[in-house]
Amino acid sequence: MLRLLSKKSFWLGILPGVLLNIFIYTSCDFIDLRQIGLTIEPNTANSILPEPDSPVVIRFDTEVIKNEAEGVFQINSDYGSVKGDKIWHGNDLYFIPVQGWTAGIRYTLNLTGTIRSTDGRELRIEHYVPFYAINRESPPILRWHSPTDGESVGTNNIVYEFHFSAAMDRLSVESALTTEGIGSKTFEWSDDNLVLRIIPQNALSPWVSYRWNIKDSAKSAGGIPLPKTYSGYFLTDLDQTLPAVANVYPVLFADGSWFPTAVNMENGLNQSFGHPQGIAVSFNKPVSDNALRSLRFEPYLTGRTEFLSNDCVIFILTRDPEPETIYTLILSGETRDTEGLKLGSDYRISFASDIPYLDILSLTANNTSEHQVQVDPAAGEVNISIRFSLPFNNEEKLLMPQRITLTPFFPKTLAPVALQYISWISDDRLFLRWEGLTPGGAGGYFNDSHFYKLVIPGGKGGISSGQGVYMKEDFVLYLEAVR
């Protein structure tokens, strides 16, 4: 009988068991089809976070796998990915930027990927939210600057000038700005911090390219950075003319002014005869103060250097040059004009001192120019007449005769002599008389000869006709007193 059961009877017998098994299976593995819920702050496009450290918050309505949720979270700007700290408070994820939000910058919150809850649900998300922080003001720009790019300028009184489109934060601009080759400088702000002027304390170097740079870290007063880095350069090559010596000539001071003398430098310096004397050096253009320290002489001359005009210096002699001496004036190649351009190489010019030595043109003793002088034994006098090469002034006339000496020389037993009479016959001729000379014996033997030494001192410490004119060396004459 069992073998004769129909198909219908078969299914009617097993269907209740199948349905029971399905019910049991589905009750043990229940599928939760609810969606993971979340909210975002900010979630309105172009909204503004109020503070530099305001957080971006994602709030989940259930517990999620945290490291996976953090992986779908990213914030970008035109400057790249924003680094920040991700902090969980329960089911809420907070993002706080490490360096704070920058005002006026457009940020974008990106949520892209799969988020899974701990109970096995999944949420595939692709969501973008643009936002700002602090304000939505336009970024500042550099509207104008001076000197302009590639401009040729001088080296003196240079001022950098920058004009911005918005009031700037002074400290951020000054920190972001570099000026190559500039040492100490002064910052000056004006027009409500729209204009910055930079004033170097020293003159710039000639024929140099000077570059400047303002990084995009410079910010407006509202905290918005420059949209880019600005840079530029200029050249200090406006002056193309090198300094050069135009003329060197002797000058004399009279009536409150310096006047060129009638001689050329190569012909030498004349005696100044009471007038201050100098050497003028003129240039083809104005020169700087270092020209005063660039002039020297070989051999050394005593004096000081001053400006006669902005393109001429004068060396003022405080002592006359040495007589009949060749000097070389040397101007250093480091001599600069007012733009800082150098002479390049040393300038040299040699000249002679046209100041003569004092000389003795003639000397007679008792009307003879011989060394043997006849002396009257009773009077013991010798008359000496001296003619000099130059006239003496009145002061030297008084001082000089006492410096001429006549002393016993041989034998040592001779008695001293005395100067009895002095007379200036003319400005260049002197008459002197000594007494107390003893003539030697008539035999003419050397051991019976009487010699006297006449000395007229020379050199700088010797006699002088005035204005520093002196004899080159001592004049010494040995006179033999005979009967």
Side-chain angles (χ1 to χ4, degrees):
M1 290 293 292
L2 291 173
R3 289 193 292 268
L4 298 176
L5 289 175
S6 64
K7 293 180 179 180
K8 180 177 180 181
S9 299
F10 173 79
W11 285 109
L12 289 174
I14 67 173
L15 184 58
V18 172
L19 292 175
L20 178 61
N21 289 333
I22 293 173
F23 175 77
I24 293 172
Y25 176 80
T26 57
S27 63
C28 294
D29 295 283
F30 178 74
I31 298 175
D32 192 346
L33 299 178
R34 291 176 300 165
Q35 187 176 3
I36 298 174
L38 60 83
T39 58
I40 304 171
E41 298 176 8
N43 198 32
T44 303
N46 299 325
S47 58
I48 301 174
L49 296 180
E51 302 294 337
D53 57 353
S54 296
V56 172
V57 185
I58 303 177
R59 303 182 189 277
F60 298 95
D61 64 355
T62 186
E63 185 177 358
V64 296
I65 299 174
K66 293 181 178 179
N67 62 333
E68 293 182 355
E70 292 177 6
V72 302
F73 182 99
Q74 190 175 31
I75 296 178
N76 297 313
S77 73
D78 291 339
Y79 296 92
S81 178
V82 180
K83 295 181 179 180
D85 296 323
K86 296 175 181 178
I87 304 171
W88 288 89
H89 292 286
N91 294 332
D92 299 341
L93 174 58
Y94 286 74
F95 178 88
I96 302 175
V98 173
Q99 295 183 345
W101 305 113
T102 300
I105 298 298
R106 187 175 186 270
Y107 296 95
T108 302
L109 167 62
N110 300 321
L111 292 173
T112 305
T114 300
I115 301 172
R116 292 191 301 165
S117 64
T118 56
D119 59 13
R121 288 178 289 161
E122 293 184 355
L123 174 65
R124 293 187 63 82
I125 187 169
E126 187 173 349
H127 190 67
Y128 306 93
V129 182
F131 66 93
Y132 293 84
I134 305 172
N135 61 55
R136 287 182 56 185
E137 297 176 6
S138 299
I141 60 173
L142 180 62
R143 286 180 169 171
W144 180 84
H145 62 83
S146 175
T148 58
D149 276 353
E151 182 179 355
S152 292
V153 300
T155 60
N156 296 298
N157 305 316
I158 291 297
V159 176
Y160 294 76
E161 192 163 326
F162 302 96
H163 291 231
F164 297 93
S165 62
M168 301 300 290
D169 175 70
R170 293 186 178 186
L171 181 59
S172 70
V173 175
E174 293 174 10
S175 299
L177 189 146
T178 57
T179 50
E180 294 180 6
I182 305 298
S184 300
K185 51 187 174 289
T186 301
F187 294 95
E188 290 185 357
W189 288 89
S190 60
D191 294 348
D192 295 327
N193 295 337
L194 289 171
V195 177
L196 170 61
R197 301 172 79 243
I198 301 175
I199 305 172
Q201 292 188 2
N202 300 312
L204 306 186
S205 299
W207 294 2
V208 172
S209 174
Y210 284 88
R211 296 186 175 275
W212 58 266
N213 179 284
I214 304 178
K215 295 186 291 187
D216 54 10
S217 58
K219 298 179 180 179
S220 68
I224 306 173
L226 294 174
K228 65 176 184 178
T229 294
Y230 290 90
S231 60
Y233 76 99
F234 60 88
L235 304 169
T236 53
D237 61 351
L238 184 63
D239 189 345
Q240 298 284 332
T241 304
L242 292 175
V245 175
N247 194 13
V248 179
Y249 53 95
V251 290
L252 288 177
F253 188 80
D255 299 327
S257 299
W258 290 96
F259 296 95
T261 65
V263 299
N264 294 326
M265 195 68 210
E266 291 81 358
N267 295 334
L269 292 176
N270 293 321
Q271 190 177 358
S272 58
F273 296 109
H275 295 285
Q277 188 172 195
I279 301 172
V281 181
S282 63
F283 298 87
N284 61 334
K285 59 192 305 190
V287 291
S288 66
D289 291 345
N290 91 313
L292 300 177
R293 302 182 295 274
S294 300
L295 191 65
R296 71 181 193 276
F297 294 87
E298 293 180 356
Y300 179 77
L301 275 177
T302 303
R304 66 183 186 277
T305 309
E306 298 179 358
F307 273 108
L308 191 59
S309 63
N310 62 6
D311 61 354
C312 184
V313 298
I314 179 173
F315 181 82
I316 301 172
L317 284 80
T318 53
R319 289 182 58 183
D320 280 335
E322 296 293 325
E324 300 177 12
T325 301
I326 301 297
Y327 289 92
T328 300
L329 179 151
I330 304 171
L331 190 66
S332 171
E334 293 296 312
T335 305
R336 294 179 175 88
D337 63 16
T338 53
E339 286 294 316
L341 296 175
K342 297 181 182 179
L343 201 65
S345 58
D346 289 355
Y347 175 88
R348 294 171 177 264
I349 182 173
S350 296
F351 59 93
S353 167
D354 199 21
I355 301 173
Y357 281 111
L358 180 65
D359 202 359
I360 296 175
L361 298 182
S362 63
L363 185 148
T364 60
N366 287 350
N367 297 320
T368 180
S369 58
E370 301 296 330
H371 292 300
Q372 283 190 339
V373 180
Q374 289 186 344
V375 176
D376 183 354
E381 295 178 349
V382 60
N383 297 314
I384 295 179
S385 177
I386 308 171
R387 184 183 177 187
F388 295 95
S389 59
L390 293 171
F392 284 70
N393 61 31
N394 291 332
E395 182 179 359
E396 295 298 333
K397 285 181 180 179
L398 294 174
L399 298 175
M400 190 269 286
Q402 282 74 19
R403 308 187 67 182
I404 300 176
T405 60
L406 183 66
T407 57
F409 180 74
F410 180 85
K412 299 295 184 182
T413 55
L414 290 175
V417 298
L419 181 62
Q420 180 192 33
Y421 180 77
I422 301 172
S423 176
W424 281 94
I425 300 173
S426 65
D427 290 341
D428 61 354
R429 183 170 293 182
L430 175 65
F431 179 84
L432 304 115
R433 178 183 297 152
W434 276 272
E435 63 180 0
L437 283 77
T438 303
Y445 296 104
F446 181 76
N447 58 3
D448 197 27
S449 298
H450 291 181
F451 288 91
Y452 292 85
K453 182 179 179 181
L454 176 69
V455 177
I456 304 176
K460 291 182 179 180
I463 65 170
S464 171
S465 64
Q467 305 305 321
V469 178
Y470 53 87
M471 295 197 308
K472 188 174 184 179
E473 55 190 5
D474 291 350
F475 177 87
V476 179
L477 179 64
Y478 294 94
L479 297 175
E480 182 184 0
V482 297
R483 299 177 184 274

